[in-house]
Amino acid sequence: MRSYSSLVMALTCALVMVIVPQVFAKRYIVGGNKGWSPNVNYTVWASDKHFYFGDWLFFVYDRNQNNVLEVNKTNYENCNTDHPLKNWTTGAGRDVVPLNETRHRYFVSGGGFCFGGMKLSVRTEKPPPPPKSAPIKNAAASPSYRSHLVLPLAFAIGAVWDSFLRVMG
């Protein structure tokens, strides 16, 4: 019975790898090469970006001077850090914030640095639907379409076969 369940598990994993499309979350280093520091206009930095559910904000900063606090909109606008919704500061100067809710989120640095511009507003959106593929006019003339399926399918079959041999041997 154990060998049967191992085979089923291997087959399921292999099929999931082939069938499920790959989704890539994006990790944004807040402020780019300047990081989370004073004298950076984070409104301008964020203006050309789309933040999607599943993405990550990566704050890199001087751990002896700055921190990462999530606040509400009013406290963001007034640079009030007295009652943050969440303190993301870990003490390492490298903090990761998962964007796991579709809503506006507001981040500031305390110690007066917010007044110097260390504040970021992001709106997390639902990811866009995957692009629709163009219809295939002639399957014989489109080897690239098949090649996208052949290699993953070969790996999946190989993984299942390997698991089968391990179970039987």
Side-chain angles (χ1 to χ4, degrees):
M1 187 58 125
R2 180 177 165 88
S3 62
Y4 177 74
S5 62
S6 297
L7 180 61
V8 170
M9 177 76 114
L11 181 59
T12 303
C13 289
L15 287 175
V16 166
M17 288 176 12
V18 171
I19 295 172
V20 176
Q22 291 180 339
V23 178
F24 295 99
K26 199 167 190 179
R27 182 189 72 165
Y28 291 94
I29 298 175
V30 175
N33 62 357
K34 295 183 181 180
W36 185 234
S37 61
N39 303 319
V40 174
N41 186 331
Y42 292 98
T43 303
V44 171
W45 174 81
S47 66
D48 64 344
K49 295 167 183 55
H50 286 277
F51 301 97
Y52 294 113
F53 182 91
D55 288 347
W56 300 80
L57 295 177
F58 186 47
F59 290 85
V60 179
Y61 58 93
D62 180 348
R63 67 182 181 167
N64 296 315
Q65 294 187 12
N66 306 118
N67 56 12
V68 179
L69 306 173
E70 187 169 358
V71 296
N72 64 29
K73 184 178 181 180
T74 302
N75 288 341
Y76 169 83
E77 291 168 348
N78 297 312
C79 285
N80 182 352
T81 59
D82 292 340
H83 304 288
L85 300 173
K86 180 155 176 109
N87 184 347
W88 289 97
T89 310
T90 61
R94 283 159 178 41
D95 297 320
V96 177
V97 176
L99 298 178
N100 53 10
E101 296 178 56
T102 54
R103 64 179 174 94
H104 268 96
R105 296 180 70 181
Y106 305 93
F107 302 93
V108 299
S109 184
F113 287 98
C114 178
F115 293 107
M118 286 184 69
K119 59 190 220 174
L120 171 67
S121 168
V122 299
R123 182 173 62 98
T124 307
E125 308 171 49
K126 291 180 182 177
K132 293 183 180 182
S133 60
I136 299 174
K137 295 178 182 173
N138 183 354
S142 180
S144 63
Y145 174 74
R146 285 184 297 208
S147 67
H148 289 301
L149 294 177
V150 171
L151 191 57
L153 188 57
F155 280 121
I157 291 169
V160 170
W161 183 252
D162 182 59
S163 297
F164 177 73
L165 291 176
R166 289 175 194 258
V167 169
M168 298 310 280

